[in-house]
Amino acid sequence: LFPIYTVTVRAVTLDLDDSSIKQPYTSSSPTNENVQQQQPTNGIEALTDWKPHLIYLEGGNTFWLQHCINKGSWIGPLLSACRSGGDGSPAMYMGKSAGAILAGKWMETASWKGWDDPTVVPGKEHYEDWKGDSGMNLVGGASIFPHMNQDWESTVEEKWSILGRQEEIHGKRLDSIESDGAITEEEDTRRNLFCLQEGDVCCVDGGTKDRFVVSGVDPAQSQQ
């Protein structure tokens, strides 16, 4: 009574440090005998010719992740994939922890907790060295502060206002996937920052550019 659709899922892990492709995966399908031959052979091919529908950036040390992105000049291909993507549709970007921070406008929030170690990046071993460094600006001019809880309320209160003055302080204007025009000086400056608790997801509508947060269950609590 219902049509049966066969969808082949293909996925790879892209090592942003050396542009290598790891862990290629293709779902089982009676029609995918030649699919394995269609896997990308390097990172640029994965983000361009392969036309991905979804890009997922993992967590970890935000400074090292940003270093790898800068070293490999990945910002352009990543933003291009999020504009055009597979079948002419923009790729959906998903970022976890460090991957979420780098989706924001400024990555300085990575230094607020002191969790990530900047000494892994030669020449930028101190938090001060990262002030004014930008992310991919995929969230309409806002920055991301993940793993938020009441322990960080005073820290956020102390630091969030400077995010709205980064362009003035560092003399930078950023290109992005969307315009920052919706955020004006008259509006609440807290819109420049999304503080996400465990289980929260910040969503950006690719059509309307609306931004909203969906609150879920803390994974740690769901296992108790």
Side-chain angles (χ1 to χ4, degrees), residues 7-187:
V7 177
T8 299
V9 177
R10 294 183 292 155
V12 296
T13 297
L14 165 57
D15 189 330
L16 295 173
D17 186 24
D18 61 11
S19 187
S20 62
I21 294 295
K22 298 177 171 66
Q23 301 171 313
Y25 168 81
T26 302
S27 62
S28 298
S29 168
T31 61
N32 68 356
E33 291 86 355
N34 299 320
V35 166
Q36 194 65 37
Q37 300 177 4
Q38 302 170 14
Q39 298 285 12
T41 58
N42 58 64
I44 293 297
E45 187 177 315
L47 291 174
T48 55
D49 298 343
W50 209 38
K51 301 185 183 302
H53 293 91
L54 186 145
I55 297 171
Y56 173 72
L57 227 60
E58 248 294 4
N61 189 320
T62 312
F63 303 113
W64 180 253
L65 180 57
Q66 178 75 337
H67 167 70
C68 292
I69 288 176
N70 291 339
K71 181 177 71 170
S73 301
W74 292 111
I75 289 290
L78 284 167
L79 289 179
S80 179
C82 291
R83 291 189 180 103
S84 55
D87 301 330
S89 301
M92 176 184 291
Y93 178 91
M94 299 177 64
K96 171 187 174 184
S97 193
I101 291 175
L102 295 185
K105 186 172 185 178
W106 304 106
M107 61 164 296
E108 189 172 325
T109 55
S111 68
W112 290 4
K113 296 189 185 80
W115 287 2
D116 291 3
D117 180 10
T119 64
V120 298
V121 181
K124 302 192 74 170
E125 293 90 352
H126 307 285
Y127 290 127
E128 291 294 322
D129 298 331
W130 295 89
K131 288 187 179 297
D133 278 39
S134 59
M136 288 182 283
N137 199 15
L138 298 175
V139 198
S143 300
I144 301 293
F145 183 75
H147 312 296
M148 177 64 177
N149 59 43
Q150 61 183 8
D151 296 337
W152 305 110
E153 289 178 356
S154 60
T155 299
V156 170
E157 189 67 27
E158 173 189 353
K159 296 179 179 294
W160 66 263
S161 61
I162 198 173
L163 292 175
R165 299 190 294 113
Q166 290 283 29
E167 290 181 353
E168 171 190 343
I169 294 170
H170 301 287
K172 291 184 177 181
R173 292 203 62 82
L174 303 181
D175 294 327
S176 71
I177 197 171
E178 54 191 275
S179 171
D180 294 345
I183 298 178
T184 66
E185 293 182 358
E186 290 76 18
E187 291 179 296

Side-chain angles (χ1 to χ4, degrees), residues 198 217-224:
E198 301 298 339
V217 177
D218 183 341
Q221 295 180 356
S222 66
Q223 296 176 4
Q224 295 177 357

